[in-house]
Amino acid sequence: MSGGPVVSFPFHRKALEPMTPHDIDRLLGEMTLAEKVGQMTQAEKYSITPDEVAEHGIGSVLSGAGGNPTPNTPDAWADMVASFEDGALRSRLGIPLLYGVDAVHGNTNVYGATVFPHNIGLGATQDADLVRRVAQVTKQELLATGVRWDFAPPVSVPQDIRWGRTLEAYSEDVDLVTELGVAFLRGLQEVDGADLSHPQAVLGCVKHFLADGGTQWGSSGSPETVEEIEHGDGSYGSIPGAEEISEERRRLLEEYEEEFGELYRHGEWGQRIDQGDAGFDEAELRRVHLPPYVAALRAGARNVMVSLSGWRGTKLHAHRYLLTDVLKGELGFDGFLVSDWLAVEYLDPDYYKATVMCINAGVDMVMVPHEWRQFMEALLRAVETGDVAMERVDDAVRRILRVKAEMGLFDGVRPDRTSLAGFGSAEHRAVAREAVAKSLVLLKNDGVLPLARDAGLVYVAGTAAVDIGLQCGGWTIEWRGIPGGEIPGTTLLQAVADSVSAETEVAYDAAASFDDRIADVGIVVVAEPPYAEMTGDRADLTLPPEDIELIGRMRSKCDTLIGILYTGRPLLVTDQLDQFDALVTAWLPGSEGAGITDVLFGDLPFVGKLPYSWPRTSDQVPLAALLANPDPPLWPRDHGLRAVGAEQESAEN
Ligand code: BGC
């Protein structure tokens, strides 16, 4: 790397006074332009080596969902993270690295992690203290892997449940999102009353700024634009060149590529909502989408991720007014803004132009994630030609260094690996089990819940009753989860078998092809297939024919039918409702299926309330259409029955 001599004072220090703003300015003064650009670069671990981190003074490395080491163990993670951190310390100035991951429902890239319900389920609990404890466990399991930066909490306020990220958001209600988002952030960042400088604190990332949940159906961009941006061949751009990629992961990424390619070729992309545009006015933007950020900043947020969506025709990554004037100016945010995945590529087919737009809008660190050399070259050129001012680069780097200093990274302290002992522990799983129990929403109950343990004959049907991959959903081990995969935890079938009396017989068949006997109780699990982001967008929220048939078959095989939904959003079940004696939505509960039976069998009460309105018909979607519709929804937000013996009453009473 070009540049001056090695500085005479160590920026990576032990037990010195905390870095002052003056120290940061001094450090900035020692840095070459290339080193500054390096700090603004975040590469994906598959695309960069620790030596390259050292050579280019890279500021951050991430594991995108599924960016796992082999073997996928906490220890191998901690070694991997440490190897990149060591690389940064070998750079000319030894500026420490920040390693980031998506731990959006537990540290779920890692095999054996405690997998919590997705945020939609936590929203149903309306329990901020529980959400804080969920974040604390997540933090422990992150620290066990050496990671101190979590790309969470999402504080999206989805207004259209067809969006494939509805599951990641706590609610359609901004107040609930604000309360729970702040609780999660505090759980990550605060340790025993101390701030981020505590070595056991994890930096949160409030995302995606702004109004990612407010985009309109059909506004995701024309397929032509997407094709151009995706290097003209419809490629997802995520197969890295690094050799260490496993065969299994390569196969998966190839599948993703093929699927995205299909979408682009058929022009379907432009009919979707993820990464689309929000068209409403500024008053609505500020009323519905801004409040969680205001509150999070007050609660100590130091990092915000920019949304891949747009507002009134301008992509957020190019939105100087919202990023710089509103967030950094009006709201006084002096932490740093990180871009989202491939954001520069998405901005404009001209990479140089896109880079200039993005940095000038106010983005401080760019999640490249693969073509980091291309990004560094573009930004270097932009500063040399004056398209990006040196002051803007200095401002970005100062923000990044400030947060690193606040986290004590310059003091050389690393998380204590003894927290490995708690990874996936019974204690952690008890919190997840509690979260599952509290997240269940009893939608309908004709006096049949709770169930008796000596039910006689119990039939269980639906693949999801035995498939923990479906129970956990997307963002688990891999980006779009691992249906059929192995994840330590308890399935619903196991939990039912563990709950009933010795005399009760439990029989399972995925398709409900049971013998001629009629069961006393039937439990049928209907699940959405796992998804994440774009391809999780879904125009039609009715149940697929095979699920409708399954419910019908099960109905004929039992006296009492209990339906359990595993879903990342309300589904249209109006036409099936009569067939159920009781219907429960368990959202995407995660690894602890016993949390469901704790409530089904009456050890714990139903307390969950709907975080989203539940439409009766497809013309009640999105929320604005529901509000304009003369008919009420099937169930309003906050609906949730309680099961008290054979009686029932509304939880609101
Ligand atoms: C998502 C972000 C995530 C990032 C890194 C993106 O595709 O939009 O929410 O943090 O990937 O995995």
Side-chain angles (χ1 to χ4, degrees):
M1 157 169 293
S2 62
V6 176
V7 280
S8 51
F9 52 102
F11 284 104
H12 176 252
R13 315 162 311 168
K14 281 202 193 321
L16 292 185
E17 293 299 306
M19 293 268 281
T20 63
H22 178 67
D23 293 334
I24 291 172
D25 280 342
R26 240 174 6 133
L27 175 50
L28 204 57
E30 293 289 338
M31 294 171 78
T32 63
L33 174 58
E35 285 165 336
K36 291 175 184 174
V37 170
Q39 282 303 302
M40 294 170 70
T41 304
Q42 183 184 56
E44 220 260 351
K45 74 107 183 170
Y46 281 120
S47 326
I48 196 160
T49 64
D51 284 343
E52 287 166 335
V53 167
E55 187 187 338
H56 298 276
I58 297 293
S60 176
V61 172
L62 88 149
S63 278
N68 310 328
T70 308
N72 186 2
T73 61
D75 244 339
W77 268 89
D79 289 343
M80 172 180 78
V81 172
S83 72
F84 284 111
E85 288 174 342
D86 290 344
L89 299 183
R90 291 198 304 275
S91 65
R92 190 180 73 96
L93 294 171
I95 299 175
L97 179 100
L98 249 181
Y99 198 103
V101 303
D102 294 285
V104 288
H105 67 138
N107 190 10
T108 53
N109 280 312
V110 190
Y111 182 81
T114 305
V115 184
F116 290 97
H118 270 290
N119 284 340
I120 191 169
L122 297 184
T125 71
Q126 299 195 2
D127 186 337
D129 177 64
L130 172 65
V131 171
R132 187 182 50 80
R133 287 184 287 126
V134 167
Q136 283 171 338
V137 171
T138 303
K139 168 169 66 187
Q140 284 306 114
E141 299 202 358
L142 280 164
L143 292 170
T145 58
V147 174
R148 284 195 64 198
W149 186 13
D150 183 4
F151 305 135
V155 292
S156 329
V157 191
Q159 302 296 290
D160 189 333
I161 55 175
R162 291 171 295 185
W163 187 34
R165 307 194 79 161
T166 303
L167 68 141
E168 293 178 58
Y170 298 110
S171 176
E172 71 191 15
D173 174 55
V174 63
D175 294 337
L176 186 56
V177 171
T178 302
E179 186 189 358
L180 300 187
V182 165
F184 191 91
L185 184 73
R186 288 214 152 108
L188 281 186
Q189 295 198 165
E190 291 174 9
V191 185
D192 303 331
D195 59 16
L196 266 179
S197 63
H198 196 291
Q200 303 296 108
V202 165
L203 175 70
C205 167
V206 192
K207 70 184 189 184
H208 309 82
F209 187 85
L210 180 67
D212 55 344
T215 59
Q216 275 143 356
W217 187 264
S219 68
S220 287
S222 73
E224 296 75 34
T225 322
V226 177
E227 267 194 51
E228 273 177 21
I229 289 168
E230 297 282 348
H231 320 300
D233 60 358
S235 90
Y236 168 58
S238 72
I239 300 189
E243 254 124 60
E244 62 161 299
I245 182 169
S246 69
E247 268 316 299
E248 195 188 341
R249 182 155 171 83
R250 180 172 294 280
R251 190 184 41 71
L252 202 71
L253 293 178
E254 278 166 4
E255 261 174 39
Y256 291 167
E257 293 249 350
E258 203 169 301
E259 188 176 334
F260 287 125
E262 282 298 298
L263 286 178
Y264 304 144
R265 275 189 287 281
H266 294 123
E268 260 188 57
W269 191 265
Q271 295 163 23
R272 297 189 175 212
I273 187 167
D274 190 37
Q275 304 178 16
D277 193 71
F280 40 72
D281 64 16
E282 187 163 346
E284 185 167 343
L285 189 74
R286 286 176 180 266
R287 185 175 57 80
V288 181
H289 300 278
L290 193 61
Y293 292 93
V294 177
L297 259 45
R298 275 196 208 115
R302 306 301 288 139
N303 175 241
V304 171
M305 189 184 291
V306 181
S307 178
L308 291 167
S309 61
W311 179 55
R312 304 189 110 182
T314 303
K315 287 287 182 192
L316 262 296
H317 282 86
H319 217 299
R320 197 188 162 101
Y321 170 67
L322 290 177
L323 303 188
T324 298
D325 299 348
V326 174
L327 185 62
K328 292 179 173 178
E330 184 185 322
L331 300 181
F333 175 60
D334 68 352
F336 71 98
L337 277 173
V338 66
S339 87
D340 202 347
W341 183 272
L342 286 175
V344 173
E345 281 87 339
Y346 288 143
L347 264 192
D348 195 287
D350 179 337
Y351 194 88
Y352 176 81
K353 199 171 143 199
T355 304
V356 170
M357 280 159 75
C358 178
I359 303 301
N360 282 344
V363 174
D364 302 305
M365 181 185 279
V366 174
M367 188 188 286
V368 183
H370 308 305
E371 307 296 338
W372 51 271
R373 281 195 180 81
Q374 183 188 5
F375 166 72
M376 291 182 73
E377 279 161 23
L379 184 52
L380 274 170
R381 183 151 68 89
V383 179
E384 278 156 10
T385 57
D387 286 334
V388 170
M390 191 57 142
E391 294 73 46
R392 175 72 270 274
V393 168
D394 283 347
D395 170 55
V397 177
R398 192 178 284 111
R399 287 166 179 273
I400 294 164
L401 296 179
R402 187 185 293 140
V403 175
K404 288 184 172 180
E406 285 169 3
M407 294 176 72
L409 296 185
F410 288 92
D411 306 331
V413 184
R414 286 191 181 165
D416 180 359
R417 281 206 196 189
T418 51
S419 57
L420 266 175
F423 193 89
S425 64
E427 198 188 340
H428 288 183
R429 287 174 189 278
V431 178
R433 183 169 171 171
E434 176 189 344
V436 174
K438 289 182 170 167
S439 73
L440 303 180
V441 179
L442 181 55
L443 299 168
K444 170 181 177 177
N445 182 22
D446 283 343
V448 295
L449 289 180
L451 294 172
R453 291 181 192 281
D454 54 355
L457 176 61
V458 177
Y459 284 160
V460 179
T463 315
V466 295
D467 184 340
I468 201 153
L470 296 176
Q471 191 174 299
C472 291
W475 300 99
T476 316
I477 308 286
E478 277 294 344
W479 186 44
R480 290 196 296 188
I482 47 166
E486 202 195 313
I487 297 166
T490 308
T491 64
L492 183 62
L493 180 63
Q494 285 161 353
V496 169
D498 291 345
S499 302
V500 296
S501 64
E503 299 72 41
T504 294
E505 184 188 345
V506 177
Y508 170 75
D509 187 83
S513 304
F514 295 105
D515 59 29
D516 291 340
R517 291 181 301 164
I518 298 295
D520 299 282
V521 173
I523 300 175
V524 62
V525 188
V526 169
E528 274 197 306
Y531 52 83
E533 304 185 59
M534 312 96 147
T535 54
D537 288 354
R538 188 170 157 186
D540 179 6
L541 295 172
T542 53
L543 298 184
E546 54 280 17
D547 285 343
I548 295 174
E549 280 161 30
L550 175 69
I551 294 166
R553 223 171 11 255
M554 195 63 168
R555 176 69 277 180
S556 67
K557 298 281 184 185
C558 58
D559 290 333
T560 296
L561 180 60
I562 316 293
I564 308 282
L565 300 174
Y566 285 175
T567 178
R569 54 192 144 202
L571 298 172
L572 291 171
V573 293
T574 314
D575 293 344
Q576 287 73 47
L577 200 53
D578 281 351
Q579 307 204 48
F580 298 111
D581 298 294
L583 182 62
V584 175
T585 179
W587 311 111
L588 294 164
S591 55
E592 304 315 304
I596 302 176
T597 46
D598 286 343
V599 181
L600 280 188
F601 288 92
D603 285 344
L604 294 172
F606 279 97
V607 293
K609 296 179 181 183
L610 285 181
Y612 292 84
S613 314
W614 197 293
R616 185 180 296 273
T617 53
S618 57
D619 55 10
Q620 291 185 337
V621 181
L623 184 57
L626 171 63
L627 297 175
N629 195 286
D631 297 323
L634 190 55
W635 298 294
R637 177 157 54 79
D638 283 342
H639 169 79
L641 303 173
R642 278 195 278 159
V644 188
E647 294 160 29
Q648 55 170 301
E649 56 183 298
S650 172
E652 298 99 281
N653 297 334

